[in-house]
């Protein structure tokens, strides 16, 4: 079987960081494995068994534990299902899916069927928003409320800032393997005090065959049939998916875009102090019975 890892040692290191992050959350949870056409998928279930169901898709190679950390307080009110994306550095199988066809949507629908979820609220974070977009084009009836957080799939960052602030430091890191170049690479999108993300990014870049494919951009006609509420959380200093451009395009695509929340002075990845603000916005939207 093809592997996304460069070595067994690299896989052990990356998944060891996954386990450490999950353990650090100190939350009761259940690991569920769902078999799909594309292979096994790990889902972490946690939260209020009597609450509304909320399904989460994480960012590229981030994994379910990082996603749960960002919405941890929602566990008090909702039953959360954090899905490990297949083909990424997670506890799911390593099958890499086609980003241009319906593979992601079929995979996601099979996972939901395995969980006996006919309808739920969904949160897509970064790359996870792209997966959520695929799902609403394919099975719109499964998504009660659609929440995009720093979403991919709508716009891409400008070439020159991306090249100078991301590509050049990344190439330097690949050549030198020096921490200073890795710090230069992650500085535009990771909070400076996030030591875990530094370790994770280093393990990923050195140990994983990174998938650098950009998500295909969503077209209006692909989701014209989706009528349920759409919400967005954007970061005003997002180098990957600039907030104003993303909002403008979302307004063009979604006639059912209900509200956008801007997180101020925030990079693509939020600071710990931003998380309560993000969780409060999500809770407000999910609990709104007028939509």
């Amino acid at each position: 079987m093809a592997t996304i890892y460069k070595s067994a040692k690299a896989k052990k290191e990356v998944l060891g960081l996954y386990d450490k992050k999950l353990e650090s959350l100190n939350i009761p949870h259940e690991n569920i494995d769902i078999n799909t056409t594309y292979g096994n998928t790990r889902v972490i279930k946690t939260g209020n068994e009597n609450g509304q169901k909320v399904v989460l898709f994480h960012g590229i190679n981030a994994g379910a534990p990082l996603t749960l950390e960002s919405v941890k307080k929602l566990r008090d009110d909702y039953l959360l299902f954090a899905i490990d994306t297949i083909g990424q550095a997670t506890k799911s199988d390593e099958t890499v899916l086609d980003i241009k066809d319906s593979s992601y949507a079929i995979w996601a629908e099979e996972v939901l069927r395995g969980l006996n979820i006919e309808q739920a609220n969904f949160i897509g974070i970064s790359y996870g928003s792209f997966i959520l977009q695929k799902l609403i084009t394919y099975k719109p009836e499964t998504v009660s409320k659609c929440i995009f957080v720093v979403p991919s799939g709508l716009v891409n960052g400008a070439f020159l800032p991306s090249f100078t602030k991301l590509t050049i430091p990344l190439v330097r890191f690949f050549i030198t393997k020096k921490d200073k170049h890795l710090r230069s690479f992650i500085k535009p999108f990771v909070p400076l005090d996030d030591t875990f993300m530094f370790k994770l990014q280093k393990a990923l870049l050195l140990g994983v065959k990174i998938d650098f494919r950009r998500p295909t951009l969503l077209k209006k006609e692909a989701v014209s049939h989706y009528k349920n509420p759409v919400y967005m959380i954007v970061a005003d200093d997002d180098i990957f998916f600039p907030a104003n451009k993303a909002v403008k395009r979302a307004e063009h695509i979604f006639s059912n875009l209900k509200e956008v929340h801007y997180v101020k002075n925030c990079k693509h990845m939020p600071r710990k102090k931003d998380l309560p603000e993000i969780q409060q916005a999500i809770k407000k939207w999910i609990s709104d019975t007028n939509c």
Side-chain angles (χ1 to χ4, degrees):
M1 177 187 290
T3 178
I4 64 171
Y5 297 96
K6 297 178 182 179
S7 68
K9 180 181 178 182
K11 180 175 182 177
K12 183 178 180 181
E13 182 179 4
V14 171
L15 296 184
L17 288 169
Y18 177 110
D19 290 335
K20 286 181 180 178
K21 176 55 69 174
L22 181 57
E23 183 180 357
S24 73
L25 300 181
N26 193 28
I27 57 173
H29 66 275
E30 178 184 356
N31 293 325
I32 304 172
D33 288 305
I34 303 294
N35 189 38
T36 74
T37 300
Y38 304 97
N40 182 72
T41 298
R42 170 64 56 87
V43 182
I44 300 178
K45 175 184 175 183
T46 183
N48 186 340
E49 289 284 349
N50 297 316
Q52 294 185 54
K53 294 176 181 177
V54 179
V55 179
L56 301 112
F57 295 118
H58 61 75
I60 189 78
N61 289 316
L66 265 174
T67 302
L68 288 172
E69 181 179 49
S70 66
V71 295
K72 187 176 176 181
K73 287 294 183 181
L74 295 181
R75 296 178 55 260
D76 296 340
D77 300 288
Y78 307 113
L79 184 58
L80 308 183
F81 296 84
I83 300 176
D84 270 345
T85 300
I86 201 164
Q88 295 186 16
T90 69
K91 293 295 182 77
S92 293
D93 279 353
E94 298 173 40
T95 312
V96 178
L97 303 188
D98 192 327
I99 62 174
K100 294 182 179 180
D101 64 13
S102 298
S103 296
Y104 269 120
I106 295 168
W107 162 77
E109 195 273 334
E110 289 183 4
V111 174
L112 296 175
R113 197 185 319 143
L115 294 169
N116 294 315
I117 294 176
E118 294 183 0
Q119 188 179 63
N121 302 295
F122 282 75
I123 301 172
I125 301 175
S126 189
Y127 194 93
S129 293
F130 166 69
I131 297 174
L132 180 51
Q133 290 158 21
K134 288 285 189 179
L135 182 60
I136 61 176
T137 65
Y138 181 73
K139 287 285 183 179
E141 64 273 16
T142 62
V143 182
S144 178
K145 291 182 179 178
C146 178
I147 300 173
F148 298 128
V149 181
V150 291
S152 64
L154 298 176
V155 297
N156 291 315
F159 171 78
L160 188 57
S162 296
F163 183 76
T164 57
K165 294 181 179 180
L166 296 172
T167 305
I168 291 176
L170 179 59
V171 171
R172 285 175 175 161
F173 173 69
F174 279 138
I175 293 172
T176 68
K177 308 297 188 293
K178 291 183 178 180
D179 286 357
K180 68 177 183 179
H181 293 138
L182 176 58
R183 289 192 175 93
S184 294
F185 168 64
I186 68 173
K187 181 180 178 181
F189 63 94
V190 175
L192 292 176
D193 61 348
D194 196 332
T195 56
F196 177 84
M197 279 305 300
F198 177 84
K199 293 178 182 178
L200 179 60
Q201 288 297 319
K202 187 172 185 177
L204 290 170
L205 291 171
L206 294 179
V208 176
K209 301 167 190 174
I210 300 296
D211 183 357
F212 288 108
R213 296 174 300 171
R214 283 187 172 187
T216 53
L217 297 185
L218 184 66
K219 295 181 179 179
K220 184 175 183 177
E221 56 268 25
V223 291
S224 60
H225 58 298
Y226 181 69
K227 303 301 182 183
N228 288 347
V230 175
Y231 304 89
M232 280 179 61
I233 295 176
V234 293
D236 67 355
D237 189 22
D238 191 337
I239 191 169
F240 293 120
F241 315 116
N244 290 336
K245 284 178 61 179
V247 171
K248 184 176 181 180
R249 189 139 194 278
E251 289 172 341
H252 168 71
I253 292 174
F254 294 104
S255 60
N256 46 339
L257 180 64
K258 299 297 182 181
E259 189 175 347
V260 177
H261 183 87
Y262 283 81
V263 184
K264 302 294 184 181
N265 303 311
C266 183
K267 300 177 183 181
H268 182 70
M269 292 195 63
R271 300 156 296 186
K272 296 293 189 294
K273 69 177 185 178
D274 296 321
L275 298 182
E277 176 185 341
I278 292 169
Q279 293 167 12
Q280 184 177 5
I282 292 172
K283 184 176 179 180
K284 171 194 169 188
W285 294 335
I286 293 177
S287 62
D288 187 355
T289 57
N290 294 319
C291 294

